[in-house]
Amino acid sequence: MLLAIDAGNTNIVFALFDGERQLGVWRSATDSRNTSDEYAVFLHSLMQKAGLDSGNITAAIIASVVPDANFHLTKLCRDHFRCEPYMIGDAKVNIGIQVLLDHPHEIGADRIVNAVGGVASHKPPLLIVDFGTATTFDVVDAQGNYAGGAIAPGINLSLRALHMAAARLPRIGIAPTKNVIGKNTNDAVQSGIFWGYTGLIEGMIARIKQEFGKPMTVIATGGLAPLFKDSIKSIAHFDEDLTLRGLQKIYQRNR
């Protein structure tokens, strides 16, 4: 079995695969202070609860944008699952696509993996919108290569910044509002965040499509993507497993 690890700035996602079949997915809040032993206790208990034997893990692959977590995630694989993990970004790992950037080494591992996962399930050209700690827009050209993109602050990040900078504004959760014009402070903040981000996403999609100059399929992924399912009609597919599928495909290529 394959252990796929997607280490993001907000959450670390662990997934177990038997071939292409996904057996389970578990999430832990990202904390670079966590040790390999703590990750192991977390995983062993959840896998046991799901009726899965951690002793059957024979391989691992990691995509991480949290450098401080890499040591303990790697140690987790070595010490507890007796395997040397593939690390996205390592020159020895063949991702199967070209990264057509001025400085390819600067791209986040998650964006590479999303591109691979997108090409595995959808015919390019693609525009992948990932609603994570940052909201990213990634373009995959007709040949399936990563062609560039854009990065905006994530929704929750913006909410936290607004709450910290404006003492009288409450910290609220993100949710669609019935009306754009709020009649109280909570509704006004919620409307500004939700409909403001809807406008940002729609505007970026339109501008990227115009600049790219060819038809492209728009895919959304990330934890907050479902919130926008009814409000952003330019998104063709919502694919919550895109990143994990990309990791599984890259492992298959390198095994």
Side-chain angles (χ1 to χ4, degrees):
M1 293 194 299
L2 169 69
L3 176 64
I5 303 173
D6 173 25
N9 289 299
T10 303
N11 292 306
I12 298 179
V13 182
F14 301 87
L16 204 59
F17 287 90
D18 182 4
E20 294 189 354
R21 186 164 62 100
Q22 190 181 100
L23 302 178
V25 179
W26 306 278
R27 286 170 171 80
S28 173
T30 300
D31 186 343
S32 58
R33 297 171 298 178
N34 285 348
T35 67
S36 58
D37 294 336
E38 288 173 310
Y39 289 129
V41 170
F42 169 79
L43 278 176
H44 282 307
S45 60
L46 289 173
M47 289 177 64
Q48 187 176 36
K49 187 176 180 181
L52 298 168
D53 184 358
S54 60
N56 291 329
I57 294 175
T58 57
I61 186 167
I62 301 171
S64 173
V65 296
V66 189
D68 288 346
N70 293 354
F71 173 80
H72 285 293
L73 289 173
T74 301
K75 198 169 187 294
L76 165 73
C77 300
R78 290 172 179 166
D79 294 355
H80 293 276
F81 302 120
R82 302 169 303 283
C83 61
E84 186 66 26
Y86 295 97
M87 181 71 74
I88 303 300
D90 189 318
K92 297 178 183 177
V93 176
N94 179 7
I95 60 173
I97 64 171
Q98 294 184 59
V99 178
L100 307 178
L101 298 180
D102 296 337
H103 308 287
H105 63 279
E106 293 179 353
I107 187 173
D110 54 338
R111 303 176 75 187
I112 293 174
V113 172
N114 280 350
V116 174
V119 171
S121 303
H122 307 277
K123 184 179 179 180
L126 305 173
L127 171 55
I128 300 169
V129 184
D130 190 343
F131 293 82
T133 307
T135 300
T136 57
F137 303 81
D138 296 307
V139 175
V140 180
D141 67 17
Q143 288 70 47
N145 297 316
Y146 184 88
I151 304 172
I155 302 164
N156 283 327
L157 188 64
S158 296
L159 274 171
R160 286 197 295 272
L162 183 64
H163 174 66
M164 290 173 64
R168 297 192 62 183
L169 292 181
R171 184 170 180 175
I172 61 170
I174 178 73
T177 62
K178 183 178 179 180
N179 300 311
V180 177
I181 302 172
K183 296 295 186 180
N184 55 65
T185 301
N186 273 16
D187 288 351
V189 173
Q190 208 155 48
S191 172
I193 290 292
F194 182 82
W195 294 112
Y197 261 88
T198 297
L200 183 152
I201 302 299
E202 289 177 331
M204 287 298 293
I205 289 173
R207 287 175 180 272
I208 289 171
K209 281 186 167 182
Q210 182 180 27
E211 186 173 314
F212 189 72
K214 298 176 184 177
M216 57 198 318
T217 301
V218 182
I219 305 166
T221 191
L224 293 176
L227 283 174
F228 295 89
K229 199 164 189 176
D230 297 325
S231 62
I232 304 178
K233 302 303 181 184
S234 52
I235 296 176
H237 304 284
F238 288 81
D239 191 342
E240 62 179 353
D241 294 324
L242 187 74
T243 309
L244 296 174
R245 188 183 313 114
L247 281 170
Q248 190 269 335
K249 294 298 181 185
I250 293 172
Y251 165 71
Q252 279 190 328
R253 176 176 291 274
N254 287 271
R255 59 181 302 182

